[in-house]
Amino acid sequence: MAIASPSTSTFSPSLGCTRTKVSRLARSPQLLLTQSRRNRTRRLVVSSRLNSSKSSDAGGSVSPDNGDASFLYELQHDFSPQRRRSGLPVFVTLPVDALNLEGRVRRPKAMKHSFHALAKAGVEGVVIEIWWGLVERNEPRVYNWQGYWELLMLAWNCGLKVRVVLAFHQCGTDPGDPNWIPLPLWVLDEIKKNPELTYSDTFGRRNFEYISLGCDMLPVLRGRSPIQAYADFMRDFRNAFRACLGVIITGVQVGMGPGGELRYPSRPPSQKLQGAGPLELGEFQCYDKYMIASLNACARDMGMHEWGNGGPIGTGNLMQSPELNQFLRSDVGSWNPPYGNFFLEWYLRMLVLHGERICREAGTIFRDTEVNISTKVAVFNWNYNTQSHPSELTAGYYNTLYRDGYLPIARMFSKYGFTMCCSYFEMQDPVVNKITTESSPEGLFRQILLAARLCDLPLDGENFSSNLDDKAFDQLLKMSKFYSDGIEKRPFSFNFVRMDRNLFEPRYWSRFTRFVKQMTNGNIFRARLNSAINVRLKPASRAAEVGLPYQLA
């Protein structure tokens, strides 16, 4: 499928081309693919007129065989294969609203200045979330990548690499949320016709964050299954950005559930639980007809028909204490065998099977593209010091005092060559224990990181809160080194979540740049806010600066 874009002001990477060539490239991405195949070293090459508005016949030629142009490009942007920074690379995730609902870049001038500041601070690249609800918004198989091309080229011209997150989930709680991005409108139409496509808890509450994995392989989306829809999306992304894969785009994180994580939506986003995080048990999400059908079939195979009529009995509600919960209480709760083991094994197996289906599709689609493929696991440390670990069980992780629930997932990622990503790296036991002693983020992290080590997995770390103090930054560094240090150096990088105006406040910017320097072990340019951010644009053509056929601002 070609890149959907209007006939005027079309965006595509021009690589120093004229307006005419840009339009032709946008209409025919095959030209980019041909160039990529001819360039066996997979390097983007540009002319010495990269920042000039002159036409190609005035010296601005583009050719994969143009050695001088290749050298000049690598010299300016330092994307050569020999580029290897020491230490652990740091990426910065862009704001959720980097694009508007029409798929265009918000405030491109400010975005460009921010990219320049990040590059000078020693940041390796940026993370761009590509939302299913924006790209394939109105009709199935009609994709609009235009805004993401703009972001990609802005990063490229600032010397930043790019990781993308293919997000198949809803963002935000409701249309009043400033970061609201729903599932594609045509998908929501199908959900209106058949609400069973969404997860449901024991109280019949529906969750619209992500399509229920119970219907993964069923043709419920206008003749396609959800897995087929995700695969078609990934395939069209690969085709649209093929020339950039492995060169500018170095990583692709594939979403597998709510928040992009491989998990069930045990905590509905609309639930307002201010200050009550440690008390959350979550709800089992197995009450839509597709999940019930699978559970019933599994119970029949076991010869225990009565176990297949629904989820666990006596689970209480989201805010109930584990010790008041018949299923989850530590001592004699029914989470223990035989019934508890049957249900929780099935619940985890369905989750792993969902992840494996997407891993298989993504592995095939991105084979030979030279990009690192990753996905994200959930981190629920609340009630970690109890025997039953209820907050993890309801999210799908069969992790208890007697069982490791992360090792099966790590093995699955390892089987398909995925990198594992997890969040909450800044969480500290002494801070959390002031609220409840039953939680242990550091204990959970050690377990997850051990599973990753045993399966020899590369790891990406993330922070959850964007408002970090010095101790939180120190914790990020500590947990990062905990995994990466040692005799066997395992690949590790860090995604800082996320870029906002607070990041560039002088005091916070100083903390952030110090953290980047400590991670990368490099000498960075400690830019002052007024010189790094408020850079004035030169009077030269902005279109030529970023390779656009029109002005960004």
Side-chain angles (χ1 to χ4, degrees):
M1 177 67 70
I3 302 170
S5 55
S7 57
T8 59
S9 66
T10 305
F11 178 86
S12 182
S14 67
L15 309 182
C17 301
T18 61
R19 182 187 304 261
T20 302
K21 286 189 177 182
V22 169
S23 299
R24 184 160 54 90
L25 284 171
R27 289 193 298 269
S28 180
Q30 188 62 33
L31 293 177
L32 283 175
L33 307 188
T34 302
Q35 174 180 318
S36 177
R37 293 190 185 101
R38 290 175 57 197
N39 185 2
R40 294 185 180 181
T41 60
R42 294 191 60 80
R43 295 178 300 179
L44 288 178
V45 293
V46 295
S47 72
S48 59
R49 301 290 183 175
L50 177 68
N51 292 321
S52 171
S53 58
K54 293 183 180 181
S55 63
S56 59
D57 56 8
S61 61
V62 178
S63 168
D65 301 317
N66 187 339
D68 292 338
S70 179
F71 172 76
L72 288 171
Y73 174 74
E74 292 169 3
L75 181 65
Q76 179 173 353
H77 293 279
D78 197 19
F79 272 152
S80 64
Q82 289 76 28
R83 180 194 188 200
R84 293 291 184 271
R85 289 182 180 173
S86 61
L88 308 176
V90 176
F91 287 73
V92 174
T93 304
L94 299 189
V96 172
D97 63 349
L99 300 185
N100 58 29
L101 289 178
E102 286 69 46
R104 300 299 301 272
V105 177
R106 296 181 189 268
R107 303 183 63 201
K109 244 171 73 172
M111 188 73 71
K112 179 181 176 182
H113 297 335
S114 299
F115 283 2
H116 277 301
L118 294 177
K120 288 186 176 183
V123 168
E124 184 83 1
V126 293
V127 180
I128 300 176
E129 293 161 318
I130 298 183
W131 296 94
W132 187 27
L134 292 183
V135 175
E136 198 180 354
R137 185 183 184 195
N138 296 311
E139 294 293 335
R141 295 190 178 93
V142 178
Y143 308 94
N144 180 8
W145 306 104
Q146 178 175 330
Y148 294 110
W149 267 120
E150 296 180 31
L151 286 176
L152 183 70
M153 289 298 101
L154 283 172
W156 170 53
N157 277 276
C158 294
L160 295 171
K161 295 179 181 178
V162 172
R163 286 177 174 172
V164 299
V165 176
L166 303 182
F168 298 109
H169 61 282
Q170 165 191 300
C171 180
T173 58
D174 53 54
D177 192 315
N179 294 327
W180 172 248
I181 302 176
L183 297 181
L185 300 182
W186 62 273
V187 172
L188 294 179
D189 288 341
E190 297 306 307
I191 290 175
K192 288 179 182 177
K193 299 174 189 175
N194 181 12
E196 298 294 333
L197 299 181
T198 60
Y199 288 107
S200 176
D201 63 17
T202 185
F203 301 103
R205 294 176 296 199
R206 294 284 173 185
N207 187 292
F208 296 91
E209 291 180 85
Y210 190 78
I211 297 174
S212 169
L213 61 81
C215 57
D216 265 355
M217 306 303 289
L218 302 177
V220 294
L221 297 180
R222 299 194 187 180
R224 290 187 297 168
S225 70
I227 295 296
Q228 287 175 324
Y230 304 149
D232 288 345
F233 186 92
M234 290 188 284
R235 193 174 294 108
D236 201 80
F237 166 80
R238 178 204 63 192
N239 294 340
F241 294 91
R242 187 188 294 269
C244 303
L245 297 177
V247 184
I248 303 173
I249 300 174
T250 59
V252 175
Q253 185 182 118
V254 183
M256 294 188 177
E261 300 170 333
L262 180 62
R263 65 173 173 87
Y264 294 99
S266 54
R267 298 177 300 124
S270 58
Q271 198 80 26
K272 306 300 184 183
L273 301 171
Q274 297 178 355
L279 301 179
E280 296 179 42
L281 307 183
E283 304 283 358
F284 288 105
Q285 303 291 318
C286 59
Y287 292 88
D288 64 82
K289 71 177 184 181
Y290 303 107
M291 292 291 284
I292 289 292
S294 172
L295 178 61
N296 190 266
C298 190
R300 287 200 311 270
D301 290 343
M302 292 281 293
M304 304 295 291
H305 296 266
E306 64 274 18
W307 287 358
N309 297 324
I313 298 172
T315 53
N317 59 63
L318 192 72
M319 295 301 297
Q320 191 175 35
S321 167
E323 299 312 311
L324 300 176
N325 192 297
Q326 180 182 336
F327 184 77
L328 297 170
R329 60 188 298 182
S330 292
D331 49 1
V332 292
S334 53
W335 57 272
N336 258 327
Y339 168 71
N341 183 65
F342 159 77
F343 174 80
L344 294 172
E345 279 274 13
W346 167 81
Y347 200 54
L348 171 63
R349 189 164 61 250
M350 290 290 286
L351 187 67
V352 172
L353 183 59
H354 173 69
E356 189 154 9
R357 287 165 176 160
I358 297 180
C359 282
R360 187 162 48 241
E361 294 289 347
T364 300
I365 290 168
F366 294 108
R367 183 181 298 152
D368 301 326
T369 59
E370 301 179 24
V371 297
N372 176 64
I373 313 175
S374 65
T375 195
K376 195 172 181 180
V377 296
V379 177
F380 290 107
N381 71 87
W382 306 313
N383 305 295
Y384 182 77
N385 288 333
T386 64
Q387 292 187 44
S388 62
H389 294 226
S391 301
E392 295 162 83
L393 297 185
T394 55
Y397 293 80
Y398 189 3
N399 191 56
T400 67
L401 179 64
Y402 313 112
R403 180 189 175 96
D404 190 329
Y406 297 92
L407 200 53
I409 293 172
R411 285 179 182 143
M412 184 260 293
F413 291 156
S414 179
K415 174 183 175 181
Y416 291 95
F418 270 52
T419 293
M420 188 164 73
C421 177
C422 56
S423 186
Y424 288 93
F425 261 56
E426 78 276 19
M427 298 286 280
Q428 305 161 65
D429 278 2
V431 175
V432 174
N433 290 159
K434 292 178 181 178
I435 304 173
T436 172
T437 58
E438 293 182 344
S439 298
S440 177
E442 294 183 55
L444 176 56
F445 264 120
R446 290 189 181 93
Q447 182 181 351
I448 294 175
L449 300 187
L450 177 59
R453 277 180 176 269
L454 290 173
C455 297
D456 200 25
L457 281 176
L459 192 70
D460 292 337
E462 285 188 359
N463 55 299
F464 177 75
S465 172
S466 59
N467 184 23
L468 306 178
D469 57 18
D470 287 330
K471 290 184 178 179
F473 273 113
D474 289 343
Q475 183 71 5
L476 294 181
L477 191 66
K478 170 186 171 184
M479 297 307 295
S480 300
K481 298 292 186 181
F482 177 81
Y483 187 75
S484 61
D485 283 356
I487 298 176
E488 297 181 11
K489 297 291 184 181
R490 290 172 175 82
F492 180 89
S493 61
F494 194 85
N495 300 333
F496 183 84
V497 183
R498 67 183 62 240
M499 186 179 85
D500 57 20
R501 65 177 58 189
N502 293 329
L503 175 64
F504 301 107
E505 292 294 328
R507 182 176 298 179
Y508 198 84
W509 181 248
S510 177
R511 292 174 182 163
F512 174 74
T513 55
R514 182 171 61 251
F515 165 70
V516 173
K517 182 177 181 180
Q518 291 172 321
M519 288 285 284
T520 59
N521 296 330
N523 295 318
I524 63 172
F525 172 71
R526 189 67 58 82
R528 290 196 304 269
L529 184 67
N530 58 0
S531 62
I533 308 300
N534 300 322
V535 179
R536 290 184 176 274
L537 286 176
K538 296 179 180 179
S541 167
R542 297 173 186 167
E545 287 182 11
V546 295
L548 297 178
Y550 57 88
Q551 292 189 0
L552 283 174

